[in-house]
């Protein structure tokens, strides 16, 4: 399976899901994530803001903020992304492609933190097919000390995802039913 085939398969499966199913699966994944010791020990969380039919992160972001964690979300600048600190979801505005992004200038580049990575397809060795822009691979190649976790629906775990030398795999994958890489 090529990355494009993996992406197409996952997109087709996502389209079959209702918003209620995505919400319930997202809740199960986040419950698994926040029950991990590494989550509680992380002072800084860098996370994507869910869009379309991704694992929902809005309640996760609220949870992190209520626990007093520093929450950083991405904003794209050309071919790169930078993370901005937010203190409330209301600080997000629609940006490129309608994806919510920070509407402030509070850019933070911590040396360490818990990075929640998005992706379309993964395999059990943690190879990842993202959306094709390479934003996370470029960012993580410059910021190498982050712990990395990806959240995925069970069908997003496919047989194999081809990997290139520049691809950076999450250290852990969490689905509603499994944790890979504990």
């Amino acid at each position: 399976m090529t990355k494009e085939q993996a992406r197409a398969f996952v997109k087709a499966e996502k389209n079959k899901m209702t918003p209620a199913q995505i919400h319930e699966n997202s809740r199960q994944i986040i419950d698994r994530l926040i029950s991990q010791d590494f989550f509680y020990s992380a002072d800084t969380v860098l996370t994507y803001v869910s869009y379309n039919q991704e694992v929902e992160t809005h309640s996760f972001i609220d949870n992190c903020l209520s626990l007093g964690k520093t929450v950083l979300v991405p904003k794209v600048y050309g071919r790169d992304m930078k993370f901005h600190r937010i203190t409330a979801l209301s600080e997000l505005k629609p940006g490129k492609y309608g994806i919510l992004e920070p509407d402030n200038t509070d850019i933070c580049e911590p040396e360490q933190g818990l990075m929640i990575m998005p992706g379309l397809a993964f395999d059990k060795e943690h190879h990842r097919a993202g959306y094709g822009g390479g934003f996370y691979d470029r960012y993580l190649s410059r910021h190498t000390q982050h712990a990395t976790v990806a959240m995925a629906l069970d069908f997003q775990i496919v047989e194999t995802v081809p990997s290139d030398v520049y691809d950076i795999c999450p250290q852990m994958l969490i689905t509603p039913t499994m944790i890979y890489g504990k």
Side-chain angles (χ1 to χ4, degrees):
M1 181 178 283
T2 67
K3 282 188 180 181
E4 281 309 314
Q5 290 169 324
R7 288 180 181 116
F9 168 78
V10 169
K11 286 179 184 178
E13 291 300 307
K14 280 185 175 187
N15 285 335
K16 296 175 186 175
M17 295 191 74
T18 67
Q21 289 171 316
I22 291 173
H23 179 76
E24 177 57 24
N25 279 271
S26 297
R27 185 195 60 75
Q28 292 172 11
I29 293 165
I30 290 167
D31 286 350
R32 282 183 179 277
L33 172 60
I34 66 175
S35 71
Q36 304 299 310
D37 289 340
F38 66 82
F39 170 76
Y40 281 99
S41 63
D43 295 324
T44 301
V45 176
L46 299 89
T47 183
Y48 69 94
V49 180
S50 55
Y51 172 74
N52 204 358
Q53 294 168 303
E54 292 179 310
V55 173
E56 295 173 355
T57 59
H58 292 94
S59 65
F60 174 69
I61 291 169
D62 279 337
N63 188 333
C64 291
L65 291 169
S66 71
L67 292 171
K69 295 183 183 296
T70 299
V71 176
L72 308 177
V73 298
K75 184 172 184 173
V76 172
Y77 294 87
R79 289 188 31 83
D80 290 311
M81 70 178 178
K82 296 182 181 183
F83 282 82
H84 292 243
R85 181 178 182 159
I86 63 166
T87 58
L89 286 169
S90 61
E91 295 174 26
L92 303 174
K93 305 289 182 230
K96 194 172 186 175
Y97 308 113
I99 299 170
L100 292 176
E101 60 183 31
D103 189 33
N104 65 43
T105 58
D106 194 1
I107 296 173
C108 297
E109 293 199 3
E111 292 302 313
Q112 295 183 354
L114 173 60
M115 164 86 62
I116 309 301
M117 299 172 70
L120 277 171
F122 304 89
D123 64 24
K124 291 178 182 175
E125 280 72 49
H126 306 190
H127 298 118
R128 169 183 167 271
Y131 294 89
F135 294 104
Y136 281 82
D137 296 318
R138 282 191 295 280
Y139 185 87
L140 288 168
S141 71
R142 295 187 314 270
H143 301 87
T144 60
Q145 298 302 309
H146 295 302
T148 55
V149 175
M151 300 187 294
L153 303 168
D154 286 311
F155 62 79
Q156 289 179 265
I157 310 300
V158 298
E159 184 73 26
T160 61
V161 173
S163 182
D164 294 309
V165 294
Y166 53 82
D167 289 337
I168 297 180
C169 301
Q171 296 160 336
M172 181 180 288
L173 296 172
I174 300 178
T175 75
T177 62
M178 294 291 297
I179 296 178
Y180 300 92
K182 203 168 182 180

